[in-house]
Structure formats: C-alpha cells, structure tokens
Amino acid sequence: MSILVLAEHHDGQLAEATAHVVAAGRAIGGDIDVLVAGENVGAVAEAAADLEGVARVRVADHAVYAHQLAEPLGELLVALADDYTHVLAAASTTGKNVMPRLAALKDVSQISEIIAVESADTFKRPIYAGNAIATVQSEDSLKVITVRATAFDAVSSGASADVEAVDTVVDNALSSFVGEELAQSDRPELGAAKVVISGGRGMGNGENFKLLDGIADKLGAAIGASRAAVDAGFVPNDMQVGQTGKIVAPELYIAVGISGAIQHLAGMKDSKVIVAINKDEEAPIFQVADYGLVADLFEALPELEQKL
Amino acid sequence: MKVLVAVKRVIDYNVKIRVKPDHSDVDLTNVKMAMNPFCEIAVEEAVRLKEAGTATEVVAVTVGPKAAQEQLRTALALGADRAIHVQTDERVESLGAAKVLAKVVEEEQPDLVILGKQAIDSDNNQTGQMLAALTGRAQGTFASELKVEDSKLTVTREIDGGLQTLSLALPAVVTTDLRLNEPRYAKLPDIMKAKKKPLDTKTPEELGVEIAGKLKLVGVEPPAERQGGVKVGSVDELVDKLKNEAKVIS
C-alpha cells in the first residue's frame, strides 16, 4: 500500500487537519507521502515533514497552485496518483472541491468523509446527516478518499521525513483567483477547538453574540452558530456548525439558544460533552445534551461568565 | 445562454430516517420524498438567470427511478422550460450520475450547468466536481453568488475561512450553497402549466453509459446513541458538574 495525503494549508501554515488525515493513512497502513501544493509553501513542507509516520514530503511550489484551485490541483494529483493505491485529503472545502475531480479523471469512485477504516478497501462514513453509518467497500484500484478530521486523533510531531520537489507544472486556462474575504479571529479554529460555544436563533441578534465572547475567552473556546443564526445575518457563514457547515467534535460543546434540528446535530453530536442552555424545555437539543439548563440565556450567560 | 440544472429526488429533509432491520440500507418505503434542498436552490438560480435575461433556456435533468419525474415536474413548475429524465432503477453513485450528466451536456451543449453542492441522503458532495472533470470545464463549487459577464463567470464560494471569489471561463459547472438564494414556491397555475411542458425520457443504455460503479454498500447501521443526560437546576450546578463530574473545564 502506498498512500498520498494532500496537505491542508492556509496562509503559509500547515493546518491541523493534515495530522488527522495522516492518522487515517496510518490506520490503512503502508508508506505515507504528503503532497504540499501551493505557492511559497516551504514552511508548510517543513511542518509536514515533522509529522509522525510520514515517509516523504513532495512539494509542488508554483504560482499555478496558489489558492489551490481545483482545476490545476486536480491535474497535479492525476499526474502523481499512479504511484499510489490511496489518495487522502481532509473533508475540508479544499478537499471536497478537488478530490472528486481527481476521482472522475481516474474513472474511480470517491469515498467522502470517512470516519473509520475497517480495512484497506472498506470504510465507514455517515449518510443522511449522520443519522446512519454506511460501510462501503471499494473495488477500484485507486481509492480516492476524504477524511473527517475529527474522527481520527492527530499523529504527533517530531519526525523528519525527506522533502523533495515535484516539478510537474500544469496549465490552467479555466479559472483564476479574484479575491477572498476571510473572517478575522484570534480564537482557535472552529474545527480544531477543544471547546466550542455556539449560538442559535435564540440569541436574537448579532450584537448578543458578544455575550458568548467572555465565556469563550475564559474557556479558550471557538464560537460557532446554527444555520438559523447565520441565515438571520447574526454571524458570518463560516461559523456555521452542521450538515452544511463545519463538523466539530470538541471535548465540550455548549449550545445556546439552539433547538437542535437534525442538520445542526449532524455537525456536533460526536462532541464528548454537550451542554444545552435553552428556555424551551421541549427543545430536541436536550435529548442529546449531557447537561441541560432550562433558562433564559440572557440571564444564564452573564452568570456563567462570572462563575467560570 | 442555455442553462442545465440537475435535480435529485431524496427523502424529505424533515423526515427522521429508519435503518432497515437487516441493516442493508435505509428504509425508504412509504417515506415522504422531495427535491433535494440544494437542487431547489440550483433551479431557483437558473430561473433567476432567465428572468434577468441572461439565460434563454433552462433545462432540468434527473437520473433516477420513474417517480423522480415528480421532481422534474416541480422544476418545470418553478420555471424550467423542459426536462430530461434518465430513467434507471439501479442505485446511482456520484460517478455514474456524473457520467450520465456528461452525456446530456454533450448533447445539449449548455453554457452553464448548475447542481446542488450535495444531496442530503448520500452527503457525498461529488457529482458537480466529477461532471466538471469529465467535461473538461471549470468548476465553481459551494457558490453563494454568481455573476455572468461576457464569456466569464464570477463565482463567490463559501470556503472554510470565509469567502473566495473566482473568475471561470464559460462553459462552466457551478454547485450551490444554501445562501445562494431563497427558492420560491410553485404556484398552482404554474404546477398545472408544468404538466404540459416537454419531458423527455431516456435510459443510460441509450446514452451509452455504464452507471454501475465499483463501490459496494456493505451495510448500514444506526449511529451510536448518546446517553440521556441530566437537567441541572442552576448555573452553579452546571459549572460544578463540568468541573468535577465531566472534568472538561478546570
């Protein structure tokens, strides 16, 4: 078995998700190479070489791979895939964008967002917003897979894999980068945070999300939101937790003013401990919450902040 | 320009699903079905492009069983001009669907194909990307805004850190995110009119596509149940439990 892991990186930094995807690769077994594609990604390659279990880091550093657009990145992966039995990426927006392109170009199926490795060709993945777990077996010679990072523990660092350049350069006449608007935050990344506190429609407005700030500061938590809160314009969409937003599995998830719709639960029900604060005693969120507090959040939140 | 929209018939998003007792699959007998919510957004966007004078024709397409014609009729009622039903009773994976759609694209030559970013049953999030790859077109996935200008398409995408804007060469493939638009409801007169709109039926064999893939569904099981929790009476008790019982805060 030989496995290629597509490194996840942003702003010249290796994303935490990569260490989780390498762990999924180790569960499959075999030699693991990491591909770092982008522009000016030397530091990313060094960080990837540091991950336990990585045999080799391959670096495609070229302007055409800047912003990791799907068209050139897909071509690059196609050019490299013949050396491997498995190609893995995090089920991030980058992985979801490019991996099906690779799969189609190699005429194989793609297995999305695996949560467990049964064997080198058999995997578990959630379907129907996480309300069922499917076991799928791939008879394709090449397995193209995205990995739910929260389902695998990160590998440790401290190794030193070889780093080598990949000279493959492809053309891209199809797409070009225009710009981006990234949400600024000093808090931990939502997908990797140990503690997440999320607000829903019950927060009432965007201004009230400030009530979560003090608690998040004290707990070192990331702040999330339900779709209702995003759609109502309270907070930007990259804070959304759920089937259509981010999947999180922190040690502690605090849901405030969130009813607990199926789509929201899909994004957080694998959290270790779930706390719900809601004034509606019948809210479905209480069925999955380890600790439920039936209370008005406008009274409970300031009190919680003060007592932490 | 011509716009092709792909729609899928799926279990209604409000339904609490059941796994079959033999764990072979999810039980879909006598369950309410509907158009996949992301596909509704795709139809809405295509119809808006037509209303804005950008699109001249909107063609809806689906791959699936006979009953999926209901979802095509819905698309027609929402404003699509005609529909294509590629009928099959086989289980269709993303790659098979993308291959069928690639054939339809070859025949229809649309300037833009719009799909939902994922179906809420399989949660794959693959078909649009695969279709773009198979037809050699640019892709704008997870779109929250679309602008057509001359022979270019400007797409704003929802990415993990925020938003990203790309310029794509047309023809292109776009997949919709939830915030692209708010789909309209079909009015009764439009539902009546939709019954008279053209709906072609084809089979994958006629299109020369082999839809069977090499992915085998071994089994389906319900997820692990969470233990029922406790209600606490006060914030003090909550903090105490989190510190001393769950030990998740210090």
Side-chain angles (χ1 to χ4, degrees):
Chain A
M1 239 91 60
S2 51
I3 298 165
L4 182 66
V5 169
L6 175 65
E8 176 87 12
H9 61 91
H10 311 280
D11 295 332
Q13 298 223 324
L14 184 72
E16 175 73 16
T18 309
H20 297 259
V21 180
V22 170
R26 293 185 89 176
I28 293 166
D31 291 333
I32 300 173
D33 287 358
V34 173
L35 171 65
V36 177
E39 191 180 20
N40 299 326
V41 286
V44 179
E46 277 174 38
D50 200 35
L51 295 176
E52 202 67 50
V54 174
R56 183 169 62 148
V57 176
R58 306 181 74 178
V59 189
D61 199 327
H62 191 276
V64 76
Y65 305 123
H67 307 292
Q68 302 173 80
L69 302 185
E71 295 80 6
L73 191 52
E75 292 289 333
L76 173 65
L77 285 166
V78 168
L80 301 179
D82 287 342
D83 297 343
Y84 299 95
T85 56
H86 297 70
V87 181
L88 272 57
S92 61
T93 49
T94 306
K96 288 174 176 175
N97 194 32
V98 69
M99 295 297 267
R101 214 167 158 106
L102 162 66
L105 292 172
K106 297 299 288 182
D107 194 26
V108 299
S109 294
Q110 189 214 282
I111 307 163
S112 292
E113 210 147 353
I114 63 162
I115 55 169
V117 174
E118 298 290 289
S119 71
D121 66 359
T122 306
F123 308 91
K124 285 189 188 290
R125 58 175 302 264
I127 53 175
Y128 293 88
N131 288 298
I133 307 297
T135 304
V136 292
Q137 185 174 22
S138 165
E139 289 165 357
D140 284 312
S141 53
L142 173 71
K143 277 85 172 164
V144 177
I145 296 168
T146 61
V147 176
R148 179 173 288 188
T150 56
F152 295 87
D153 292 332
V155 296
S156 51
S157 50
S160 56
D162 293 335
V163 177
E164 60 175 57
V166 173
D167 297 327
T168 313
V169 174
V170 299
D171 286 334
N172 178 24
L174 294 175
S175 61
S176 58
F177 175 80
V178 176
E180 62 190 4
E181 247 179 83
L182 300 180
Q184 299 299 322
S185 174
D186 299 330
R187 300 192 192 285
E189 191 204 334
L190 188 53
K194 295 266 183 272
V195 181
V196 173
I197 182 162
S198 286
R201 198 196 300 275
M203 297 300 292
N205 59 45
E207 194 65 16
N208 289 337
F209 264 75
K210 289 196 179 131
L211 291 169
L212 305 179
D213 284 347
I215 298 169
D217 287 341
K218 286 192 170 168
L219 295 175
I223 298 183
S226 69
R227 187 182 162 206
V230 173
D231 281 352
F234 297 175
V235 291
N237 60 44
D238 54 288
M239 286 170 64
Q240 185 183 324
V241 172
Q243 185 184 20
T244 58
K246 288 210 180 63
I247 310 290
V248 302
E251 298 275 302
L252 172 61
Y253 188 90
I254 307 176
V256 184
I258 292 176
S259 65
I262 293 174
Q263 291 79 2
H264 186 74
L265 299 183
M268 47 63 83
K269 69 179 177 183
D270 293 325
S271 305
K272 191 168 159 237
V273 174
I274 297 174
V275 169
I277 302 175
N278 204 305
K279 65 180 175 191
D280 175 11
E281 204 170 340
E282 303 295 320
I285 191 79
F286 286 120
Q287 290 163 22
V288 300
D290 299 280
Y291 301 107
L293 176 64
V294 180
D296 185 338
L297 64 93
F298 296 104
E299 286 162 23
L301 287 177
E303 191 184 345
L304 180 60
E305 181 180 345
Q306 185 217 327
K307 293 195 167 142
L308 283 171
Chain B
M1 65 180 213
K2 189 197 261 190
V3 180
L4 184 74
V5 190
V7 300
K8 186 178 182 186
R9 174 185 174 84
V10 298
I11 200 163
D12 184 273
Y13 73 96
N14 281 312
V15 172
K16 180 105 178 93
I17 60 139
R18 294 182 310 267
V19 171
K20 287 182 182 173
D22 67 358
H23 286 197
S24 60
D25 206 341
V26 168
D27 193 351
L28 295 182
T29 45
N30 300 322
V31 167
K32 187 181 173 200
M33 304 292 278
M35 189 190 292
N36 180 46
F38 291 98
C39 302
E40 286 183 357
I41 294 167
V43 173
E44 175 68 28
E45 195 65 17
V47 172
R48 287 187 190 189
L49 286 172
K50 193 177 172 200
E51 288 168 347
T54 310
T56 47
E57 188 184 26
V58 175
V59 183
V61 57
T62 197
V63 188
K66 192 157 197 321
Q69 284 194 8
E70 286 171 29
Q71 278 62 49
L72 286 178
R73 290 289 172 201
T74 304
L76 293 169
L78 291 168
D81 296 293
R82 61 190 174 88
I84 300 168
H85 181 204
V86 183
Q87 195 174 322
T88 175
D89 290 322
E90 274 186 76
R91 207 167 63 89
V92 186
E93 293 278 348
S94 304
L95 185 63
K99 285 180 178 176
V100 169
L101 294 174
K103 277 287 173 193
V104 175
V105 166
E106 195 182 303
E107 286 183 1
E108 295 284 335
Q109 294 291 322
D111 303 280
L112 179 61
V113 187
I114 313 181
L115 305 88
K117 79 164 177 181
Q118 76 190 58
I120 59 161
D121 52 0
S122 56
D123 280 337
N124 273 324
N125 195 332
Q126 300 173 1
T127 307
Q129 295 89 315
M130 287 179 160
L131 174 63
L134 295 176
T135 55
R137 295 176 170 211
Q139 68 186 50
T141 50
F142 329 140
S144 59
E145 201 183 339
L146 281 190
K147 272 189 229 131
V148 181
E149 293 153 321
D150 305 323
S151 59
K152 292 269 179 199
L153 181 70
T154 306
V155 183
T156 301
R157 308 176 53 232
E158 298 196 2
I159 60 167
D160 284 336
L163 298 171
Q164 178 191 61
T165 303
L166 301 180
S167 173
L168 307 181
L170 285 171
V173 175
V174 164
T175 72
T176 63
D177 218 314
L178 283 168
R179 268 161 294 275
L180 182 59
N181 60 48
E182 183 93 19
R184 70 193 69 187
Y185 291 99
K187 296 191 194 78
L188 186 61
D190 293 332
I191 294 171
M192 301 310 288
K193 267 186 247 165
K195 292 183 179 172
K196 298 210 173 68
K197 287 188 180 176
L199 192 158
D200 280 348
T201 303
K202 299 171 192 278
T203 63
E205 293 74 37
E206 282 166 23
L207 292 168
V209 180
E210 176 65 55
I211 55 169
K214 290 188 171 164
L215 204 56
K216 210 167 77 188
L217 183 64
V218 178
V220 173
E221 59 200 291
E225 290 283 325
R226 283 194 78 93
Q227 293 286 326
V230 294
K231 291 234 170 83
V232 294
S234 67
V235 171
D236 280 322
E237 193 185 342
L238 176 64
V239 172
D240 175 65
K241 295 260 191 202
L242 290 177
K243 274 186 184 160
N244 302 317
E245 193 176 280
K247 295 187 169 55
V248 284
I249 60 174
S250 49

